[in-house]
Amino acid sequence: MQSDNPTAAILVIGDEILSGRTREGNAHHLSQVLNSIGIDLREVRIVSDDQDQIVEAIRALDKSLGGRWDMLFTSGGIGPTHDDVTADAVAAAFGVGIEINEEARAVMTARWQARGVEVTGNRLRMARIPLGARLIANAHSAAPGFHIGNTYVMAGVPEVFRVMVEAIIPGLPTGRASVSEAVEVMRPESDVADGLREVAERYPDLSLGSYPFQREQRYGTSLVIRGLDGARVAAAMADLHARLAL
Amino acid sequence: MQSDNPTAAILVIGDEILSGRTREGNAHHLSQVLNSIGIDLREVRIVSDDQDQIVEAIRALDKSLGGRWDMLFTSGGIGPTHDDVTADAVAAAFGVGIEINEEARAVMTARWQARGVEVTGNRLRMARIPLGARLIANAHSAAPGFHIGNTYVMAGVPEVFRVMVEAIIPGLPTGRASVSEAVEVMRPESDVADGLREVAERYPDLSLGSYPFQREQRYGTSLVIRGLDGARVAAAMADLHARLAL
């Protein structure tokens, strides 16, 4: 699909995903949000709680560090325990120091005191923020995320990840949201390949995809046409219907 | 976790994942299979149906091409339509040609003829296999996957991906499967961080993780200890129980 939309990557951090213990869902959620505001998600990486691996991925993915995509969103590894190394890795990737952020400390302390929770060194570990970063509000619990360069660092707990995504949306550059139309046909993918390719060639500005499925022992294919211009998508779908005699 | 286990990456290929239309599940399935046979999954990447992006990822991830991990498993992009570019990308990554593979043609033709399905050019497109690759059997439908270098190329349709994984397991190098024990405590993560870190320091051969959750307005934490030696894992868990007064 041709697009001048801003581009993005997601970096998911966590051994528990790679071991198969936890099924990743934050990237799927964010992919839908980004699509709806016209940001083209181009790559997702999942790495372990390993500082070197995280640093390398951030540098490869954030354009402000010479990486490939306009924006990078991370999920996970900003909690209070020894295996939470994301904040240190981000500081290392950007070549800045990391220390207790007074704004973060104030936000967290106020929240804890309101709930009668003791402020401990472990809790305050979550206020360690790379120098120069701006906080991302956490409407769910106490510890904030942060934003530095073009990288947005968010928590892995799904409820917290979602409120942090809500918090950053107003500040993100946006593009044109794509429009898609889909149709299911009860034919194998190879039977619709010619018609699909012909329409793809006539509409080079659109993205045409085909996704095979099986239902009650029969083969079917979902055909999806996606683009920025709804009228073009509708015209291409009409063309596809005609070619496939739907 | 200290381990001499072979390492692996998964590369998922498909615009439909990045657009948020489809939730990825093959990597999660394979992560559990690999864990059970002692292969350490270290990285997952999801990229679009873009040949250059796929080529670069294969080279970065397959050790036989100078990449980082011992094995690479791919999912998606080997169907019969114009947006299926994985086989060409793999051939390009390995610097080999690609043509109709006679063994694949024979397998597919026999299967189609048994079902009374016509053999068309589009269907035969799925028999295009990089030169030097070996086929991966497909017990579900007709088109095979293939294996070249240390890269295993499999279909994205979940049912087909799973039978291809079953087909390759006997030929994979294996290591020691990890053992894990988990306990849930109804305390916030920061309250257990000290005990967890102390046990992690005493058992550097084990991996200790903590995963916060919320239930009925209360904070809790899942504590997971993982390692290759079940007795060590059990000893560390007993130590953790004592330190946290569980």
Side-chain angles (χ1 to χ4, degrees):
Chain A
M1 193 175 75
Q2 293 166 353
S3 145
D4 297 323
N5 283 346
T7 60
I10 299 174
L11 176 64
V12 177
I13 297 152
D15 291 350
E16 75 279 16
I17 311 284
L18 294 173
S19 74
R21 181 176 176 277
T22 300
R23 183 174 177 185
E24 211 292 311
N26 289 345
H28 179 59
H29 170 71
L30 183 53
S31 68
Q32 296 180 319
V33 171
L34 294 176
N35 189 58
S36 73
I37 58 175
I39 295 175
D40 291 349
L41 177 63
R42 298 291 184 84
E43 185 169 353
V44 176
R45 292 194 191 182
I46 308 175
V47 299
S48 64
D49 299 308
D50 175 86
Q51 181 161 331
D52 293 342
Q53 220 188 333
I54 300 168
V55 169
E56 185 185 313
I58 293 169
R59 290 182 172 155
L61 297 172
D62 180 334
K63 183 171 276 181
S64 76
L65 291 174
R68 176 166 294 184
W69 311 115
D70 294 331
M71 281 162 275
L72 171 63
F73 304 93
T74 79
S75 162
I78 61 168
T81 58
H82 68 282
D83 58 336
D84 290 303
V85 300
T86 298
D88 291 277
V90 173
F94 282 88
V96 300
I98 180 168
E99 57 185 42
I100 296 284
N101 177 296
E102 288 308 322
E103 183 187 352
R105 184 215 292 262
V107 167
M108 294 164 73
T109 302
R111 184 139 185 155
W112 288 325
Q113 287 177 340
R115 290 179 47 229
V117 174
E118 191 188 353
V119 179
T120 64
N122 284 325
R123 293 217 163 88
L124 279 179
R125 188 169 186 275
M126 293 188 282
R128 294 174 67 248
I129 305 282
L131 293 171
R134 285 154 57 158
L135 302 187
I136 297 173
N138 173 356
H140 186 81
S141 47
F146 59 87
H147 165 206
I148 181 170
N150 295 353
T151 294
Y152 297 80
V153 178
M154 296 178 283
V157 178
E159 296 84 354
V160 181
F161 184 80
R162 284 172 182 247
V163 299
M164 289 183 175
V165 168
E166 291 300 314
I168 63 173
I169 287 174
L172 295 178
T174 56
R176 289 175 65 187
S178 67
V179 176
S180 70
E181 288 193 25
V183 61
E184 285 190 351
V185 296
M186 289 311 298
R187 298 187 206 163
E189 204 178 8
S190 45
D191 280 5
V192 298
D194 286 338
L196 193 69
R197 188 183 58 249
E198 288 159 13
V199 177
E201 286 165 0
R202 287 194 63 185
Y203 294 83
D205 52 319
L206 306 181
S207 162
L208 279 76
S210 63
Y211 308 102
F213 61 84
Q214 217 175 345
R215 194 178 295 151
E216 294 168 4
Q217 309 294 322
R218 293 179 60 207
Y219 290 100
T221 305
S222 291
L223 301 169
V224 180
I225 303 180
R226 183 182 297 278
L228 297 180
D229 180 336
R232 291 279 291 169
V233 170
M237 184 56 91
D239 192 346
L240 187 63
H241 272 258
R243 283 170 201 276
L244 299 179
L246 298 180
Chain B
M1 193 174 79
Q2 292 166 357
S3 147
D4 298 323
N5 283 347
T7 61
I10 299 173
L11 176 63
V12 176
I13 296 153
D15 291 348
E16 75 279 16
I17 312 283
L18 294 174
S19 74
R21 183 177 173 278
T22 301
R23 183 173 176 183
E24 212 291 312
N26 289 344
H28 179 59
H29 170 71
L30 183 54
S31 68
Q32 296 180 318
V33 171
L34 293 176
N35 190 58
S36 73
I37 59 176
I39 295 176
D40 292 347
L41 178 62
R42 298 289 183 87
E43 185 169 352
V44 176
R45 292 193 193 184
I46 309 175
V47 300
S48 64
D49 299 309
D50 175 88
Q51 182 161 330
D52 293 343
Q53 220 188 334
I54 300 168
V55 169
E56 184 185 313
I58 294 169
R59 289 181 173 156
L61 297 172
D62 180 332
K63 184 172 275 180
S64 76
L65 292 174
R68 176 165 294 185
W69 311 116
D70 294 333
M71 281 162 276
L72 171 64
F73 304 92
T74 79
S75 162
I78 61 168
T81 58
H82 68 282
D83 58 335
D84 290 304
V85 300
T86 299
D88 290 277
V90 173
F94 282 88
V96 300
I98 179 167
E99 57 185 41
I100 296 283
N101 176 296
E102 289 307 323
E103 183 187 353
R105 185 215 291 265
V107 168
M108 293 164 73
T109 301
R111 184 137 183 160
W112 288 325
Q113 287 176 340
R115 291 179 47 229
V117 174
E118 191 188 353
V119 179
T120 64
N122 284 324
R123 294 216 163 85
L124 279 178
R125 188 169 187 276
M126 293 188 282
R128 294 175 66 250
I129 304 282
L131 293 170
R134 285 156 55 160
L135 302 187
I136 296 173
N138 174 357
H140 186 82
S141 47
F146 58 87
H147 166 205
I148 181 169
N150 294 355
T151 295
Y152 298 79
V153 178
M154 297 179 282
V157 178
E159 297 84 352
V160 181
F161 183 82
R162 284 172 182 248
V163 298
M164 289 184 175
V165 168
E166 290 300 314
I168 62 174
I169 288 173
L172 295 179
T174 55
R176 289 174 66 186
S178 66
V179 177
S180 69
E181 289 194 25
V183 62
E184 285 189 353
V185 297
M186 289 312 298
R187 297 187 206 163
E189 205 178 8
S190 45
D191 280 5
V192 298
D194 285 338
L196 194 69
R197 189 184 56 249
E198 287 159 14
V199 177
E201 285 165 0
R202 287 193 64 183
Y203 294 82
D205 52 318
L206 306 181
S207 162
L208 279 74
S210 62
Y211 308 103
F213 62 84
Q214 214 175 345
R215 193 178 296 151
E216 294 169 3
Q217 309 296 325
R218 291 179 62 206
Y219 290 99
T221 305
S222 289
L223 301 168
V224 180
I225 303 180
R226 184 181 297 278
L228 297 178
D229 180 336
R232 291 279 292 170
V233 170
M237 184 58 90
D239 192 345
L240 187 63
H241 272 257
R243 283 170 201 276
L244 299 179
L246 298 179

